[in-house]
Amino acid sequence: MAKVQLANVAVLDNPSPFLNPFQFEVTFECIEELKEDLEWKMIYVGSAESEEFDQILDTIYVGPIPEGRHMFVFQADPPDVSRIPVNDALGVTVVLLTCSYRGNEFVRVGYFINNEYTDPELRENPPTQPQFDKVQRNILGDKPRVTRFKINWDDGTGSTTNGAQDSMEEQTMGDSAQEASSSKLGFSENTQNSMEVM
């Protein structure tokens, strides 16, 4: 059984200007003391076409973790706009939160993001070069996709890097119009049963 259970993730300051920091309030339960740190990452998916445009916005280490319920706010600067392909600057993309223990990812939370101009004229006639200072970011905070991986919590041996793919459970995003874009979430299609909503 997983020693850490993700209880809730709340999206803060949303919607917000594209250039504002990302903020997530993360709540998790630890069923017994963890002697080593949890590694949390926030990843912005710059393009559905290639992982080379993914940007790790921040990595933080939390620990050691005593038994009980814990909460923290994970804040990170927005992505480097120079690394986002022009054709992928606007529209739907994804932000991922991942957590690993001893180098093994055991949970991943993905959110669709819609980036668009707030000015109706810019929406109708978008400039050739995106004007990110006029773009609004809207994270679909009520439709997260949560994927859990089974890992070996007791020692570093016998665990598959990035979680055991054959022991993965996935919760879908729900009935969303953007589900056709779900490949951006980077989850394996070898899923088993649906999970409870957080």
Side-chain angles (χ1 to χ4, degrees):
M1 181 179 177
K3 293 187 179 181
V4 174
Q5 298 287 339
L6 193 60
N8 190 54
V9 178
V11 182
L12 307 180
D13 187 27
N14 184 61
S16 68
F18 184 90
L19 298 176
N20 275 18
F22 282 86
Q23 296 182 66
F24 296 91
E25 183 183 85
V26 179
T27 305
F28 65 94
E29 302 253 6
C30 190
I31 64 169
E32 65 179 73
E33 180 183 8
L34 294 179
K35 298 192 180 344
E36 297 185 35
D37 292 350
L38 295 174
E39 179 187 29
W40 295 85
K41 287 184 181 180
M42 190 184 303
I43 303 167
Y44 184 87
V45 176
S47 172
E49 305 302 320
S50 172
E51 289 184 8
E52 74 173 286
F53 299 109
D54 290 1
Q55 296 185 45
I56 297 176
L57 303 182
D58 202 359
T59 301
I60 61 171
Y61 295 89
V62 180
I65 311 286
E67 180 181 346
R69 177 172 280 236
H70 307 277
M71 186 273 289
F72 69 98
V73 174
F74 193 177
Q75 179 171 311
D77 289 334
D80 178 351
V81 297
S82 69
R83 294 176 54 195
I84 300 174
V86 171
N87 292 339
D88 294 298
L90 299 176
V92 177
T93 188
V94 167
V95 64
L96 301 170
L97 299 179
T98 70
C99 191
S100 302
Y101 185 66
R102 290 177 169 162
N104 292 287
E105 181 181 335
F106 64 89
V107 68
R108 177 182 300 188
V109 185
Y111 290 97
F112 284 119
I113 303 172
N114 188 37
N115 296 317
E116 64 180 357
Y117 291 112
T118 54
D119 186 323
E121 187 173 330
L122 287 174
R123 277 206 296 264
E124 288 185 22
N125 302 293
T128 307
Q129 286 298 317
Q131 297 181 13
F132 287 98
D133 59 333
K134 297 178 180 176
V135 172
Q136 177 177 269
R137 176 184 72 222
N138 187 10
I139 301 171
L140 303 185
D142 61 339
K143 294 185 182 290
R145 170 175 271 170
V146 182
T147 305
R148 293 175 174 87
F149 308 93
K150 291 183 180 177
I151 66 169
N152 187 335
W153 290 89
D154 297 320
D155 58 51
T157 62
S159 294
T160 303
T161 303
N162 292 329
Q165 294 291 331
D166 59 348
S167 300
M168 182 176 77
E169 294 181 322
E170 182 176 348
Q171 166 194 320
T172 62
M173 297 279 284
D175 185 18
S176 169
Q178 284 84 19
E179 286 205 322
S181 304
S182 63
S183 60
K184 291 184 180 181
L185 290 163
F187 299 134
S188 163
E189 293 181 2
N190 179 27
T191 58
Q192 296 178 347
N193 41 24
S194 295
M195 302 185 64
E196 72 280 358
V197 176
M198 289 194 304

